[in-house]
Amino acid sequence: MKRVRKAVFPVAGLGTRFLPATKAVPKEMLTVVDRPVIQYVVDEAREAGIEHFIFVTGRNKAVIEDHFDIQFELYDTLAQRGKDEQLARLQRLQPAPGQTSFTRQQVPMGLGHAVWCARELVGDEPFALLLPDMIMQSEKSCMKSMVELYEETGNNIIAVQECDPAEAHKYGIVGRGEDTHHGFRITEMVEKPKTGTAPSNLYINGRYILQPEIFKILEGQEKGAGNEIQLTDAMLKLEKQQAFYGYHYQGRTFDCGSPEGFVEANVAFALWRSDMKENMAGVIRTLLDEMTPSERRVAVS
């Protein structure tokens, strides 16, 4: 059984749900508190033992590559001004030389196509796939627990969370089979099931560990929903050859591709920090107290 050493980050999306903010700035570079969204996702992969970070980019995404590079002028200025703590923090976040790779998805043809674009960089190895819109908050990272489950089973792993059953038609939903280790066997996968037909209320939350055989399937995969190559369609074919296991993630997940999820993530991560929690809690209470009754009704609705 090969170890999971590589992670793929599909960052070629246009961020249309977040316009006009993403007109000139990649959605992955929008900041939650004091670091870009993509940094949270890379940190999660690093905590799981990932050694090689593969970014599937598009046009106008060069700033992501710059973010993970060394900025000599900045480092030198911080050193000269004695800002050792800030410098050390940047250095801790800095991937080592050769740990990052970038490839282009020239045409927006869906998540499955983006994953396929990373095939030469991944090679014949299992790999982690982390959707950068989704950032997680928990004491132990979601991907770290998934890697542990992979090491127990040696198969494909998908992270899932519970949703309101009435909202199941909005997500990719899995069927839950027998428990195994600290996960469960996935019996089926349905992309946006019709209302009342979902096999469970467990939705796929944007974290995967996949075997390299998925690339051969994606190579010949026909376009599906939205006239795009869908990863779920390819996983359904792979499921006929290999087992899939689910990891039931219990932490918080924030969809930073939407304004609501992005704001929620900023509040949650600010309140999670010991140096900001008290002040931010006070600010939030003050803002709520200052709202007029009519504003409160609108906020609640």
Side-chain angles (χ1 to χ4, degrees):
M1 183 175 63
K2 294 182 179 179
R3 190 164 63 88
V4 180
R5 302 186 309 111
K6 300 179 179 181
V8 174
F9 306 89
V11 295
L14 299 175
T16 53
R17 290 187 295 165
F18 223 124
L19 288 169
T22 52
K23 182 180 179 182
V25 178
K27 60 180 179 177
E28 298 84 7
M29 291 302 296
L30 298 176
T31 55
V32 172
V33 185
D34 60 356
R35 68 180 65 183
V37 168
I38 188 62
Q39 185 69 62
Y40 286 90
V41 186
V42 169
D43 289 347
E44 180 185 342
R46 183 186 281 114
E47 183 184 337
I50 300 297
E51 301 170 354
H52 190 176
F53 310 100
I54 300 168
F55 299 86
V56 182
T57 71
R59 286 185 296 171
N60 303 318
K61 299 280 185 167
V63 67
I64 297 176
E65 187 169 352
D66 291 339
H67 174 72
F68 291 103
D69 200 358
I70 294 175
Q71 189 173 347
F72 291 100
E73 298 85 353
L74 174 61
Y75 285 19
D76 183 61
T77 299
L78 291 174
Q80 290 186 28
R81 295 180 179 178
K83 296 185 179 294
D84 298 332
E85 184 177 343
Q86 290 175 301
L87 178 58
R89 186 182 181 198
L90 289 177
Q91 291 172 333
R92 285 195 301 271
L93 297 175
Q94 182 74 49
Q99 279 194 319
T100 56
S101 296
F102 297 83
T103 188
R104 284 288 185 102
Q105 183 189 22
Q106 290 93 339
V107 183
M109 291 176 60
L111 177 59
H113 182 258
V115 172
W116 181 75
C117 288
R119 65 198 182 281
E120 297 294 339
L121 293 169
V122 173
D124 188 25
E125 298 184 37
F127 64 98
L129 171 64
L130 298 92
L131 304 192
D133 281 354
M134 315 300 285
I135 64 174
M136 315 297 206
Q137 187 185 67
S138 55
E139 292 295 335
K140 182 179 181 180
S141 80
C142 179
M143 183 53 65
K144 183 175 179 61
S145 295
M146 291 176 67
V147 168
E148 292 173 354
L149 181 57
Y150 165 79
E151 291 172 347
E152 295 169 350
T153 64
N155 289 104
N156 303 279
I157 311 293
I158 299 177
V160 298
Q161 287 181 259
E162 294 178 1
C163 69
D164 183 339
E167 301 290 311
H169 65 281
K170 298 179 180 179
Y171 305 103
I173 302 293
V174 305
R176 179 165 190 155
E178 72 276 9
D179 291 342
T180 176
H181 304 286
H182 66 285
F184 62 91
R185 185 72 178 263
I186 290 177
T187 58
E188 57 182 311
M189 290 179 276
V190 185
E191 186 66 32
K192 296 182 179 180
K194 293 181 179 180
T195 302
T197 66
S200 74
N201 68 329
L202 297 174
Y203 76 94
I204 300 172
N205 70 4
R207 299 292 186 268
Y208 312 77
I209 294 176
L210 298 171
Q211 296 293 328
E213 286 78 10
I214 194 76
F215 293 122
K216 187 65 176 177
I217 295 173
L218 287 169
E219 186 174 345
Q221 182 66 45
E222 297 180 356
K223 293 181 180 180
N227 201 32
E228 296 180 336
I229 297 175
Q230 298 292 339
L231 179 64
T232 302
D233 294 341
M235 290 195 300
L236 286 170
K237 292 181 180 179
L238 184 60
E239 185 186 24
K240 297 177 181 178
Q241 309 167 21
Q242 300 176 356
F244 275 75
Y245 290 86
Y247 167 66
H248 191 173
Y249 177 62
Q250 301 292 333
R252 297 189 183 98
T253 298
F254 305 98
D255 180 2
C256 289
S258 70
E260 298 86 356
F262 178 74
V263 173
E264 183 182 359
N266 270 278
V267 172
F269 277 93
L271 292 174
W272 220 37
R273 285 180 44 163
S274 58
D275 62 331
M276 299 181 68
K277 179 177 181 179
E278 185 175 350
N279 182 56
M280 287 304 304
V283 169
I284 293 169
R285 282 193 294 267
T286 298
L287 290 173
L288 290 173
D289 290 342
E290 290 178 351
M291 292 177 69
T292 66
S294 61
E295 288 174 329
R296 289 197 191 97
R297 285 195 293 274
V298 171
V300 171
S301 62

